[in-house]
């Protein structure tokens, strides 16, 4: 049957692909911090309705081990209708030693990309470090950022994200799935074939915003400021200008989605930006991951009608699972998240259905984000 041939071809290609990612991940080095003169950094945070998270974020900013004279904090209020703006103002007045600016978007400026574009034009320093309003920053975050940019050839750096989760099965599964994305993004950067970054932990030189007059962030799409910025740097400066910081002291923390429906909604938002993908390796990688998981779903359904598909399904499912496990076990160990590995088996059963649904639905179905509805 043609479906068996196609399935074997895709899964074997996927196995080679993931093993290459695994090797690249292991080659990423953790660079020890050295005592150097601090560089000046502009921290940019777009905020909308984050009243429950801001106290922890602001405390982590105050706890940063970095000279306050060498960084500024630009907070952008994206039409929050809770107490977020009040908390920003309280934070600004509570620490006069820290240079904090608050920007409130006009009625015509809506969304994270508008917030970022507004803030970028007002930054004072060459290095811009971005995070989100629901994150907690590690103590040596800016030190790692500054050290990475000691290399004048470095134009953009990407870092990891850990989820703060409770004891629920769902949130642990979610944490492991996010780790797979972070590790894949880091491995691809290590291969000098960068495909993804996350705006919750990304820094870049201001000069890349002045590359040309095009809309680098692709403002017509609600999501994807991080990926599109990375693609632009890769196109103009080359993949060698992008680095991934593997050290745990550069990884930020954020809360896991509390409900399955919100996790799915988040992935629909992420998939929505795929319409703007131009990088061939990114398109190939996304398509391969989708097709491999889709054929497993097709084989599963088909095995109820054609018994000869059962063996193919079992062999390919186990082969893919072993390969994914090798990669995830290593990345979990390197990111101090070994406790998540025991949740690999249930994730391995759920993921083909999850990724197949979100990849297809994301092309047609809208999503909600920060109490805003985005339609297709």
């Amino acid at each position: 049957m043609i479906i068996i041939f196609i399935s074997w071809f895709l899964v074997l290609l996927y196995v080679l692909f993931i093993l290459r990612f695994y090797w690249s991940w292991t080659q990423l080095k953790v660079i020890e911090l050295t005592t150097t003169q601090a560089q000046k950094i502009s921290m940019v945070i777009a905020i909308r309705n984050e009243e429950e998270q801001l106290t922890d974020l602001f405390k982590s900013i105050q706890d940063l081990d970095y000279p306050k004279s060498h960084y500024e904090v630009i907070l952008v209020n994206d039409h929050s209708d809770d107490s977020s703006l009040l908390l920003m103002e309280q934070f600004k007045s509570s620490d006069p030693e820290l240079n904090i600016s608050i920007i409130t978007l006009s009625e015509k400026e809506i969304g994270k990309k508008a917030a970022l574009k507004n803030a970028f034009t007002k930054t004072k320093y060459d290095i811009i470090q971005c995070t989100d309003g629901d994150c907690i920053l590690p103590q040596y975050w800016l030190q790692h950022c500054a050290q990475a940019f000691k290399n004048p050839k470095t134009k953009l750096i990407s870092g990891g994200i850990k989820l703060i989760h409770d004891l629920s099965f769902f949130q642990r599964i979610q944490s492991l799935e996010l780790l797979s994305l972070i590790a894949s993004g880091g491995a691809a950067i290590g291969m000098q074939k960068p495909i993804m970054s996350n705006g919750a932990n990304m820094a870049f030189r201001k000069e890349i915003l002045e590359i040309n007059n095009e809309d680098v962030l692709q403002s017509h799409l609600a999501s994807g400021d991080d990926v599109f910025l990375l693609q632009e740097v890769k196109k103009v400066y080359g993949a060698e200008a992008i680095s991934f910081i593997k050290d745990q002291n550069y990884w930020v923390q954020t809360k896991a989605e509390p409900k399955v429906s919100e996790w799915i909604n988040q992935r629909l938002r992420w998939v929505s930006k795929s319409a703007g993908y131009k990088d061939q390796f990114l398109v190939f990688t996304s398509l391969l991951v989708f097709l491999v998981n889709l054929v497993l779903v097709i084989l599963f359904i088909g095995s109820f009608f054609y018994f000869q598909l059962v063996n193919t399904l079992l062999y390919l499912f186990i082969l893919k699972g072993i390969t994914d496990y090798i990669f995830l076990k290593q990345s979990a160990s390197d990111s101090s998240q070994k406790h998540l590995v025991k949740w690999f088996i249930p994730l391995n059963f759920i993921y083909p259905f999850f990724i197949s649904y979100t990849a297809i639905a994301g092309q047609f179905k809208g999503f909600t984000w920060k109490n805003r509805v985005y339609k297709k």
Side-chain angles (χ1 to χ4, degrees):
M1 297 175 68
I2 188 65
I3 184 64
I4 294 177
F5 173 78
I6 293 174
S7 300
W8 271 102
F9 173 77
L10 288 172
V11 172
L12 289 175
L13 181 61
Y14 175 87
V15 167
L16 294 175
F17 208 70
I18 297 301
L19 290 178
R20 179 66 176 88
F21 270 41
Y22 165 79
W23 181 86
S24 177
W25 174 264
T26 61
Q27 298 307 299
L28 290 172
K29 304 298 182 184
V30 174
I31 301 174
E32 296 293 331
L33 287 176
T34 58
T35 303
T36 58
Q37 183 177 1
Q39 300 193 61
K40 293 193 173 182
I41 299 172
S42 294
M43 187 191 307
V44 172
I45 310 173
I47 296 170
R48 173 173 167 78
N49 294 344
E50 301 286 2
E51 61 181 4
E52 295 181 1
Q53 325 297 338
L54 288 181
T55 299
D56 290 335
L57 168 64
F58 294 156
K59 183 179 185 304
S60 70
I61 293 175
Q62 290 177 318
D63 291 342
L64 288 172
D65 189 351
Y66 204 75
K68 291 185 178 181
S69 59
H70 280 64
Y71 70 98
E72 64 172 343
V73 181
I74 300 179
L75 308 174
V76 190
N77 176 36
D78 177 17
H79 306 281
S80 297
D81 51 23
D82 61 3
S83 63
S84 292
L85 180 57
L86 175 61
L87 291 172
M88 287 185 250
E89 292 171 343
Q90 291 175 346
F91 174 54
K92 180 178 180 179
S93 62
S94 69
D95 196 339
E97 295 183 14
L98 188 56
N99 184 2
I100 302 173
S101 302
I102 300 175
I103 300 171
T104 297
L105 295 185
S106 66
E107 292 183 1
K108 296 181 179 180
E109 297 173 305
I110 298 174
K112 183 180 179 180
K113 289 184 180 180
L116 293 177
K117 289 174 69 174
N118 192 314
F120 293 160
T121 62
K122 296 177 173 60
T123 53
K124 297 179 181 178
Y125 306 129
D126 174 56
I127 299 172
I128 300 176
Q129 172 70 69
C130 298
T131 191
D132 289 342
D134 58 355
C135 291
I136 298 175
L137 314 178
Q139 183 179 5
Y140 299 104
W141 191 53
L142 292 184
Q143 288 195 22
H144 279 279
C145 174
Q147 178 153 313
F149 283 106
K150 283 173 58 181
N151 183 349
K153 295 182 180 179
T154 299
K155 304 299 181 182
L156 182 147
I157 63 172
S158 175
I161 303 165
K162 293 182 182 181
L163 293 184
I164 304 171
H165 52 261
D166 57 24
L167 298 177
S168 72
F169 163 81
F170 154 64
Q171 291 198 351
R172 290 172 184 265
I173 292 292
Q174 185 185 159
S175 298
L176 185 59
E177 192 264 345
L178 178 62
L179 174 61
S180 72
L181 297 178
I182 297 298
S184 297
I189 290 173
M191 294 164 53
Q192 294 200 351
K193 292 183 177 294
I195 55 175
M196 70 178 83
S197 181
N198 194 303
N201 195 10
M202 181 179 71
F204 56 91
R205 294 192 189 276
K206 191 175 182 179
E207 67 186 71
I208 72 175
L209 299 173
E210 303 162 357
I211 294 172
N212 52 45
N213 293 322
E214 296 180 11
D215 182 9
V216 175
L217 299 183
Q218 299 199 33
S219 300
H220 63 288
L221 296 171
S223 183
D225 50 281
D226 38 26
V227 172
F228 299 137
L229 201 59
L230 178 133
Q231 287 183 0
E232 190 69 16
V233 173
K234 179 181 178 180
K235 181 177 73 174
V236 176
Y237 296 102
E240 63 275 9
I242 301 171
S243 298
F244 181 83
I245 309 302
K246 191 175 181 181
D247 192 295
Q248 295 306 291
N249 288 315
Y250 187 68
W251 288 42
V252 304
Q253 292 182 303
T254 189
K255 289 186 177 180
E257 296 294 340
K259 300 178 181 177
V260 175
S261 59
E262 294 181 19
W263 185 32
I264 293 174
N265 180 74
Q266 181 191 65
R267 290 303 185 269
L268 293 177
R269 171 167 59 87
W270 290 4
V271 170
S272 71
K273 62 191 174 189
S274 62
Y277 290 170
K278 299 177 181 179
D279 183 84
Q280 292 183 353
F281 189 70
L282 171 57
V283 173
F284 172 77
T285 304
S286 303
L287 190 59
L288 178 61
V289 172
F290 165 64
L291 289 176
V292 165
N293 285 282
L294 180 63
V295 296
L296 291 178
V297 173
I298 292 173
L299 287 173
F300 175 76
I301 296 173
S303 64
F304 287 96
F305 304 95
Y306 303 97
F307 188 74
Q308 60 266 43
L309 294 180
V310 173
N311 285 341
T312 301
L313 172 62
L314 291 176
Y315 291 145
L316 295 184
F317 180 77
I318 293 172
L319 180 60
K320 175 182 178 295
I322 291 173
T323 307
D324 288 338
Y325 179 79
I326 291 171
F327 183 37
L328 276 175
K329 182 180 180 182
Q330 183 64 50
S331 55
S333 176
D334 291 341
S335 61
S336 302
Q337 299 182 87
K338 288 183 179 180
H339 62 285
L340 294 177
V341 176
K342 64 184 179 181
W343 301 98
F344 172 77
I345 292 179
L347 175 63
N348 200 37
F349 279 98
I350 294 170
Y351 196 67
F353 299 94
F354 175 77
I355 195 67
S356 297
Y357 170 76
T358 55
I360 295 172
Q363 307 303 321
F364 311 100
K365 187 178 176 60
F367 56 90
T368 58
W369 189 21
K370 305 292 185 182
N371 298 325
R372 293 188 178 118
V373 177
Y374 295 86
K375 297 181 179 180
K376 283 287 185 178

